[in-house]
Amino acid sequence: MAEAALAVSSIEIVPSGKALGADVIGVDIKRDLSAEELGQVRQAWAEHLVLRFRGNGEVPLQKLADFSRLFGDLDRAPVASQTMGKDFAWQHPEITVISNVVVDGTPVGGLGSYEAVWHSDMTYNATPPKGSALYAVEIPPSGGDTHFANMYLAYETLPTNLKAQVEHLHCVHDASRNSAGELRMGFADITDPRHTVGAVHPVVRTHPVTGKRCLFLGRRRNAYLPGQPLEESEALLDALWAHATRPEFVWAQQWQLGDVILWDNRCTMHRRDSFDPSTRRLMYRTQITGEAVI
Ligand code: OGA
Ligand code: MN
């Protein structure tokens, strides 16, 4: 027999059994992957949308960035997240801190301990990120789970009339608030979605890797379908959101220390449960540069 037939991969992909998500067994993100292993991981990412790499132990931030770069160029962390204390990630421009920890009166990262409502990241930009890797360093005893929803499945299962209605629609994605509902610096409060400021994207996008179509909704708050009367825009968006966040499209990540989650921001949404603010949660995140939405 050819030698290739004897080559056994050390990687195993174990699907969550839910609508998306899989564990990648046999990869510690601190080690270098062979070309074959990398190919397997990329294929698994396209197939399962969210990958979990468990048991990485302590990961130097440089290693987290190097691993993330296997999937594309990295965005620089937003400036607002670089106000953290010296012990944190300010020396790594590609790392964002997500945390409720406060040092000397200054939050070391974003999102606090609040619930983060359903969203895809930074869709108010013209080229939203391709995906992110989130690495758990400190986790609270309860709460703070991160839920992911499969937007291919949401699109494919839309009722026929709704599917036809959204086929060529575009949506304005609100730039004024983050997923914890906080008003971003320099933005006015929006009370009428017809005045929403942010990027305009197709409601149904085609994934550049899989070629499959999926819903691309961003955030519900202040979203608007340009050209529609406000009531019709609201009714259509409400119907889409009610469908897209149905429990059968969702898988929830319950964090363990050393977990790294890699999500595809183009074909999934995520939300995070709140947690007790007197407990600590500290995560480091990279963001992979995306492409125009078509
Ligand atoms: C994010 C985000 C969720 C979490 O980093 O974009 O939504 O679980 N994080 O912290
Ligand atoms: Mn997010």
Side-chain angles (χ1 to χ4, degrees):
M1 283 300 273
E3 266 177 42
L6 296 174
V8 178
S9 168
S10 55
I11 293 189
E12 195 189 341
I13 308 295
V14 181
S16 70
K18 304 284 187 184
L20 74 171
D23 277 298
V24 180
I25 312 290
V27 172
D28 180 323
I29 75 149
K30 295 191 295 298
R31 79 168 167 85
D32 293 334
L33 299 188
S34 69
E36 192 204 345
E37 288 173 324
L38 182 56
Q40 273 181 282
V41 170
R42 287 192 179 133
Q43 192 184 328
W45 197 27
E47 205 171 310
H48 300 287
L49 292 52
V50 180
L51 297 181
R52 178 167 63 192
F53 303 82
R54 189 146 256 187
N56 296 286
E58 273 186 42
V59 180
L61 294 186
Q62 193 57 51
K63 286 283 180 195
L64 179 64
D66 291 346
F67 173 75
S68 305
R69 216 176 282 109
L70 297 173
F71 307 95
D73 293 337
L74 300 187
D75 290 338
R76 292 176 80 84
V79 175
S81 73
Q82 306 244 337
T83 52
M84 67 282 299
K86 285 192 178 48
D87 293 337
F88 294 84
W90 63 270
Q91 44 310 45
H92 294 275
E94 294 158 329
I95 305 279
T96 303
V97 185
I98 305 293
S99 184
N100 68 320
V101 174
V102 175
V103 174
D104 295 337
T106 305
V108 302
L111 292 184
S113 58
Y114 313 113
E115 175 186 0
V117 298
W118 281 114
H119 66 281
S120 299
D121 291 329
M122 300 181 74
T123 62
Y124 46 86
N125 288 338
T127 54
K130 177 190 285 192
S132 276
L134 190 62
Y135 158 52
V137 179
E138 290 187 68
I139 49 180
S142 66
D145 295 354
T146 309
H147 306 246
F148 294 91
N150 180 335
M151 290 300 105
Y152 293 122
L153 210 49
Y155 172 68
E156 287 157 12
T157 56
L158 275 179
T160 318
N161 62 334
L162 209 47
K163 207 177 204 175
Q165 266 180 297
V166 299
E167 195 62 35
H168 301 293
L169 280 187
H170 285 70
C171 183
V172 185
H173 292 237
D174 177 35
S176 70
R177 287 179 184 273
N178 70 12
S179 48
E182 298 166 314
L183 196 62
R184 288 202 167 86
M185 241 187 295
F187 282 92
D189 192 15
I190 301 290
T191 51
D192 181 339
R194 286 171 295 193
H195 300 141
T196 294
V197 175
V200 177
H201 298 298
V203 170
V204 183
R205 77 179 291 182
T206 303
H207 194 287
V209 174
T210 63
K212 294 198 298 181
R213 309 193 77 200
C214 57
L215 283 181
F216 191 63
L217 299 179
R219 285 187 178 77
R220 176 62 188 92
R221 187 168 182 165
N222 297 333
Y224 178 60
L225 304 170
Q228 308 261 338
L230 182 58
E231 306 71 50
E232 284 174 33
S233 171
E234 291 289 304
L236 196 47
L237 286 170
D238 282 345
L240 280 174
W241 276 89
H243 178 81
T245 57
R246 279 162 56 164
E248 61 264 40
F249 306 144
V250 175
W251 167 73
Q253 151 71 348
Q254 287 181 311
W255 292 92
Q256 291 183 10
L257 289 182
D259 278 358
V260 171
I261 290 275
L262 177 70
W263 72 81
D264 190 321
N265 194 53
R266 301 166 289 192
C267 55
T268 67
M269 297 202 293
H270 55 279
R271 60 169 289 276
R272 185 193 75 185
D273 293 333
S274 62
F275 56 97
D276 179 347
S278 69
T279 62
R280 289 167 64 102
R281 187 178 191 265
L282 174 63
M283 327 282 271
Y284 291 108
R285 195 186 81 168
T286 56
Q287 192 168 287
I288 306 159
T289 307
E291 55 277 284
V293 180
I294 51 168

